[in-house]
């Protein structure tokens, strides 16, 4: 088992390892005191598999253990679901001293985390990620986000969990496409900060190295956020591929998953960077080769103009400019601000061939 301390404004511990669900009561007893009631928030996919098990373990230390289950999928990450969840908090009399337990993937974590952050001005929340994507992405930073019709994650909060418990055994029940989806975020961490991790994924693979690789990703994200906070600078590197990825998700009506969309976004950005002469080595070939190894897509049929238009609503937009992450080489990226017209030219270069590019 790995224990990683995340030292943000509200510090907490993240535990990563096998068999941790059976130790959940002990971990909570050691870390969090004073709650007399808890509510497990999960979705219709995860609750039948792990809901009863987690509830039984938590009932050892909290007899009043309730459960709220909502439909699975990105389309449930909205204000309607949040409203129903908060109404349920009121119905069961959840107090500020009590606990919300987010059991599931990123949609569950975002929804439960946001609801916990605004209910009674904040109740404690712990995350139990059950997907690879949520294990490496949701575990650090405390960002929550809810979708609107106009875009992804347009409403949210910065609200760190009180504890994260990542049981790697839960990955065994994931369908292959969910594992591939999570690998996009793992590969992103490698491209942004760790050539060593990239080599490990290329040579050794993920299977059999789950605890080590997830811990490495959590440490990468923790380091960037502790140095930079959650605003600009270093932490923006974690958005590599996301500006394009969020646009693809929205334009596909969320039929393209987050990981698949980010994979396409990373491939497009690395291709454009190569054409612009901003990559100092064959980043595109190495990256797309690794993405394909883990059954991730590298192309989309959605026109560049539509992607750029959708990207205007992305949270990385600053007035008339957009911040994008440029991969110089594996393990080394930088943030570049571009005007919207420049961004279109930059992306179209990936389709149309060489062009001259002048950094500001």
């Amino acid at each position: 088992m790995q224990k990683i301390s995340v030292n943000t404004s509200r510090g907490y511990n993240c535990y990563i390892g096998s068999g941790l669900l059976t130790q959940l009561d002990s971990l909570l007893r050691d870390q969090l005191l004073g709650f007399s009631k808890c509510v497990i928030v999960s979705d219709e996919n995860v609750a039948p598999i792990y809901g009863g098990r987690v509830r039984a373990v938590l009932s050892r230390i909290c007899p009043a253990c309730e459960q709220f289950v909502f439909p699975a999928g990105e389309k449930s990450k909205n204000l309607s679901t949040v409203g129903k969840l908060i109404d349920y908090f009121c119905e069961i009399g959840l107090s500020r001293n009590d606990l919300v337990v987010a059991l599931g993937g990123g949609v569950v974590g975002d929804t439960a985390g946001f609801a916990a952050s605004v209910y009674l001005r904040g109740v404690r929340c712990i995350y139990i990620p059950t997907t690879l994507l949520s294990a490496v992405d949701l575990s650090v930073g405390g960002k929550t986000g809810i979708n609107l019709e106009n875009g992804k994650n347009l409403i949210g909060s910065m609200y760190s969990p009180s504890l994260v418990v990542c049981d790697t055994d839960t990955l065994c029940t994931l369908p292959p496409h969910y594992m591939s989806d999570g690998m996009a975020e793992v590969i992103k961490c490698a491209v942004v900060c760790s050539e060593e991790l990239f080599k490990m994924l290329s040579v050794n693979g993920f299977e059999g190295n789950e605890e080590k690789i997830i811990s490495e990703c959590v440490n990468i994200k923790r380091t960037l956020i502790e140095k930079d906070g959650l605003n600009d600078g270093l932490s923006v590197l974690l958005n590599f591929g996301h500006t394009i990825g969020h646009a693809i998700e929205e334009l596909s009506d969320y039929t393209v998953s987050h990981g698949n969309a980010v994979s396409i976004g990373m491939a497009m950005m690395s291709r454009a960077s190569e054409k612009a002469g901003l990559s100092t080595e064959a980043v595109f070939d190495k990256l797309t080769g690794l993405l394909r190894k883990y059954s991730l897509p590298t192309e989309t049929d959605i026109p560049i103009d539509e992607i750029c238009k959708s990207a205007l609503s992305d949270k990385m937009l600053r007035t008339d400019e957009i911040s994008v992450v440029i991969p110089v080489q594996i393990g080394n990226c930088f943030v570049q601000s571009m005007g919207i017209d420049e961004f279109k030219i930059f992306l179209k270069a990936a389709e149309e061939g060489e062009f001259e590019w002048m950094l500001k």
Side-chain angles (χ1 to χ4, degrees):
M1 178 178 69
Q2 298 288 323
K3 174 185 174 181
I4 299 173
S5 296
V6 182
N7 299 309
T8 54
S9 57
R10 286 168 26 118
Y12 62 93
N13 291 322
C14 178
Y15 293 90
I16 302 163
S18 173
L20 295 187
L21 289 187
T22 61
Q23 304 174 44
L24 189 57
D25 57 333
S26 298
L27 292 173
L28 277 173
R29 190 182 292 113
D30 291 342
Q31 299 290 317
L32 300 174
L33 298 173
F35 66 94
S36 58
K37 185 176 297 181
C38 69
V39 54
I40 301 167
V41 181
S42 194
D43 66 29
E44 292 175 344
N45 289 341
V46 176
I49 304 173
Y50 297 112
R53 190 186 313 180
V54 170
R55 193 171 187 175
V57 174
L58 289 180
S59 294
R60 298 172 191 167
I61 58 173
C62 183
C65 186
E66 309 293 340
Q67 184 169 262
F68 181 92
V69 180
F70 62 86
E74 188 75 24
K75 290 186 178 181
S76 290
K77 202 174 80 169
N78 56 41
L79 287 173
S80 175
T81 303
V82 170
K84 292 174 183 176
L85 179 54
I86 290 175
D87 283 342
Y88 185 73
F89 291 167
C90 295
E91 180 184 326
I92 65 173
L94 199 73
S95 75
R96 291 195 69 187
N97 292 324
D98 293 326
L99 187 66
V100 175
V101 180
L103 173 67
V107 169
V108 170
D110 268 338
T111 304
F114 179 71
S117 74
V118 296
Y119 176 68
L120 299 180
R121 299 187 179 90
V123 296
R124 291 179 294 183
C125 181
I126 71 168
Y127 290 156
I128 306 176
T130 59
T131 66
L132 177 57
L133 179 62
S134 59
V136 300
D137 191 40
L138 191 67
S139 295
V140 182
K143 285 186 178 181
T144 71
I146 301 299
N147 303 335
L148 299 178
E149 290 185 4
N150 288 323
K152 182 179 171 73
N153 294 339
L154 292 183
I155 293 180
S157 60
M158 304 294 191
Y159 194 71
S160 295
S162 298
L163 182 70
V164 175
V165 179
C166 176
D167 188 336
T168 55
D169 292 345
T170 63
L171 304 182
C172 297
T173 59
L174 283 180
H177 67 276
Y178 279 106
M179 285 299 296
S180 294
D181 215 43
M183 286 307 302
E185 289 288 342
V186 174
I187 293 169
K188 176 204 74 177
C189 288
V191 175
V192 167
C193 281
S194 178
E195 184 180 11
E196 181 180 352
L197 176 58
F198 194 92
K199 289 178 179 177
M200 182 188 301
L201 296 171
S202 301
V203 177
N204 301 325
F206 181 77
E207 190 173 351
N209 298 295
E210 294 90 346
E211 182 178 315
K212 182 176 182 180
I213 289 173
I214 292 172
S215 297
E216 179 65 18
C217 291
V218 170
N219 265 319
I220 286 171
K221 189 170 184 180
R222 174 191 62 81
T223 299
L224 291 176
I225 288 175
E226 284 181 357
K227 287 181 178 179
D228 184 57
L230 291 168
N231 299 308
D232 298 301
L234 289 174
S235 66
V236 178
L237 293 173
L238 296 168
N239 286 288
F240 177 48
H242 281 60
T243 296
I244 296 172
H246 287 169
I248 291 172
E249 283 185 86
E250 181 186 353
L251 292 167
S252 73
D253 196 25
Y254 300 104
T255 58
V256 177
S257 65
H258 177 71
N260 281 8
V262 168
S263 175
I264 296 168
M266 290 191 294
M268 291 177 66
M269 286 302 300
S270 62
R271 179 64 169 168
S273 297
E274 180 184 276
K275 291 291 185 180
L278 301 179
S279 296
T280 57
E281 60 175 70
V283 174
F284 175 75
D285 288 341
K286 291 180 180 181
L287 173 57
T288 53
L290 190 58
L291 292 172
R292 289 167 185 151
K293 175 179 178 177
Y294 290 99
S295 303
L296 286 161
T298 58
E299 297 177 332
T300 179
D301 293 331
I302 299 174
I304 294 297
D305 286 339
E306 291 186 27
I307 291 174
C308 290
K309 182 178 179 181
S310 177
L312 286 170
S313 65
D314 190 84
K315 61 183 179 297
M316 299 308 297
L317 188 65
R318 301 289 185 268
T319 61
D320 59 345
E321 291 192 334
I322 195 164
S323 295
V324 297
V325 181
I326 305 294
V328 178
Q329 58 188 25
I330 301 301
N332 181 16
C333 298
F334 71 93
V335 178
Q336 174 69 28
S337 293
M338 297 182 187
I340 298 303
D341 290 338
E342 288 179 290
F343 185 56
K344 289 181 182 179
I345 295 170
F346 184 75
L347 289 187
K348 286 183 177 180
E351 297 179 336
E352 298 172 0
E354 303 290 344
F355 72 113
E356 294 183 1
W357 185 262
M358 295 293 292
L359 287 178
K360 291 182 178 180

